[in-house]
Amino acid sequence: MTTPGTTTSPTTGSPTATPRERGIGMRFSLHPHCDDFVAVILGALDDAERAGLTAGLTIETDDVSTWVGAVDEPAEQRLVAYLAAVVAAAHRRSDGGHVVAHVLLSRGCPGEVGCDLSVTGLPRPEPVRVPATGVAAAAQWSLYPLLDGGSDDGAHMAHIERAIAQAVERGTTRGAAHYATRLSGDVAEVLATVADAWGDVGSAVAHVVSHLTLSVGSPTAVPR
Amino acid sequence: MTTPGTTTSPTTGSPTATPRERGIGMRFSLHPHCDDFVAVILGALDDAERAGLTAGLTIETDDVSTWVGAVDEPAEQRLVAYLAAVVAAAHRRSDGGHVVAHVLLSRGCPGEVGCDLSVTGLPRPEPVRVPATGVAAAAQWSLYPLLDGGSDDGAHMAHIERAIAQAVERGTTRGAAHYATRLSGDVAEVLATVADAWGDVGSAVAHVVSHLTLSVGSPTAVPR
């Protein structure tokens, strides 16, 4: 995959750096659990595009997932609005069936493997505000601050703990699981919880990644 | 979810610590893209259990994913053998259909959110050897060293770069994508590539997480 416009610029890290310069984006895969999954996926992507939600984003779909890079502000808002619409559309197009999205949110590593970011002057994004989709989700969420300025060993855990405390206050958390925090709520609210935490930690840490497995329309707990 | 046996012990980090004490395990979700996904998932889990591949593992399935904790050595080998069998069985049970697994491998954070690990004496695991499944996979892989002993900012990137170089040498890499490395090959070989890198970095870094989106039976590249 080519990566246009992802070269780290000298202004990266300054408050005026664009979302693209700060490498803000996501990669997601969409899994409708139905025979006509191809039509559901393509239809859901089209629905979100026709709703105008691809504005300010660069989108590339490959054989495993879809990359969405934020070009314009508000970056986090655009990403969440687009993804919430895609998931809700896939749910609707599969007649309320089981759809899972796996999401990787990333900021601070635009040049793929190599990172060469200044950690000064990281802006704190505005909280995401996206209308409820009407679709309830259960999710498992992990947050990884990766470039925390050489602070002591446990420093990145403080960022995670603060982010989780904010999610608890918001009412979307259902407690901890192994390696993840359990979330539930409207698709839009769950995604906003995750994006806000990611953006918040990103105001203190240059390279922050978050993973989310988001499930809608699941049959009740698998008997196992 | 309750988390029996995950309290960090005083011996954590010593060469004699068990896989459980070192928090070695994975969380995965399995996504057959077909109407009878529940039967496929449960059948695949049963197939792997009947094949004896759950020995030395603790397995708990919830409404979003399945947690697999390694109890006995060889930990990485047991995890890969089990997961390769589950994915191959799901592919077979869906008549060669499209199945995606999302996998989170974790080591070094047994106590969920809080980490309290010694970083001395981490053993280097043996390379994983699992027979080919006969099922070809395409995958996207990310590796996150999270507790690197307070080394300088870019130190964790050196671990990632070495792990990716080893995967390149192995022949499973297809190049970089945004936020991920693309892999392809037999399901077992792709999983072994990821687990070996994770274990290798884990011999130098106490807390290492890796995420993998593994796709089998996909229709040819989505036209987009």
Side-chain angles (χ1 to χ4, degrees), chain A residues 82-163:
Chain A
Y82 175 71
L83 186 56
V86 168
V87 172
H91 181 64
R92 190 171 57 243
R93 283 179 171 269
S94 62
D95 298 321
H98 183 35
V99 176
V100 171
H102 187 81
V103 190
L104 185 177
L105 294 164
S106 182
R107 60 197 306 130
C109 202
E112 314 298 355
V113 168
C115 276
D116 184 24
L117 288 171
S118 160
V119 295
T120 59
L122 295 171
R124 187 187 207 93
E126 288 293 309
V128 168
R129 300 200 186 284
V130 175
T133 62
V135 180
Q140 290 175 352
W141 167 43
S142 301
L143 180 62
Y144 308 121
L146 292 167
L147 194 61
D148 59 3
S151 52
D152 63 289
D153 288 3
H156 70 276
M157 295 310 299
H159 293 296
I160 293 181
E161 284 163 9
R162 188 181 62 184

Side-chain angles (χ1 to χ4, degrees), chain B residues 169-211:
Chain B
E169 194 173 329
R170 193 169 196 151
T172 38
T173 57
R174 292 187 296 159
H178 289 289
Y179 326 138
T181 296
R182 302 166 65 83
L183 302 176
S184 67
D186 187 277
V187 166
E189 183 66 8
V190 168
L191 290 174
T193 298
V194 171
D196 283 351
W198 169 65
D200 191 54
V201 175
S203 68
V205 179
H207 183 195
V208 186
V209 171
S210 191
H211 281 259

Side-chain angles (χ1 to χ4, degrees), chain A residues 8-74:
Chain A
T8 303
S9 93
T11 60
T12 298
S14 81
T16 56
T18 67
R20 175 178 282 177
E21 287 169 333
R22 283 182 285 130
I24 296 178
M26 66 183 172
R27 185 172 278 289
F28 74 95
S29 55
L30 192 64
H31 309 295
H33 292 65
C34 57
D35 292 346
D36 61 342
F37 66 94
V38 172
V40 170
I41 293 171
L42 295 179
L45 295 175
D46 282 345
D47 288 349
E49 183 169 357
R50 277 202 306 273
L53 295 170
T54 56
L57 302 173
T58 300
I59 301 175
E60 295 173 10
T61 296
D62 62 31
D63 59 335
V64 175
S65 64
T66 294
W67 171 70
V68 185
V71 178
D72 297 329
E73 300 285 6

Side-chain angles (χ1 to χ4, degrees), chain A residues 27 31 33 35 46 49 62 65 102 112-113 140 144 146-147 149-150 153 156-157 177-178 182 211 224, chain B residues 27 31 33 35 46 49 62 65 102 112-113 140 144 146-147 149-150 153 156-157 177-178 182 211 224:
Chain A
R27 185 172 278 289
H31 309 295
H33 292 65
D35 292 346
D46 282 345
E49 183 169 357
D62 62 31
S65 64
H102 187 81
E112 314 298 355
V113 168
Q140 290 175 352
Y144 308 121
L146 292 167
L147 194 61
D153 288 3
H156 70 276
M157 295 310 299
H178 289 288
R182 301 164 65 83
H211 280 259
R224 182 76 196 172
Chain B
R27 184 172 278 287
H31 309 295
H33 293 66
D35 291 346
D46 283 345
E49 183 169 357
D62 62 31
S65 64
H102 188 80
E112 313 297 357
V113 169
Q140 290 175 352
Y144 308 121
L146 292 166
L147 193 60
D153 289 4
H156 69 277
M157 295 310 299
H178 289 289
R182 302 166 65 83
H211 281 259
R224 182 76 195 172

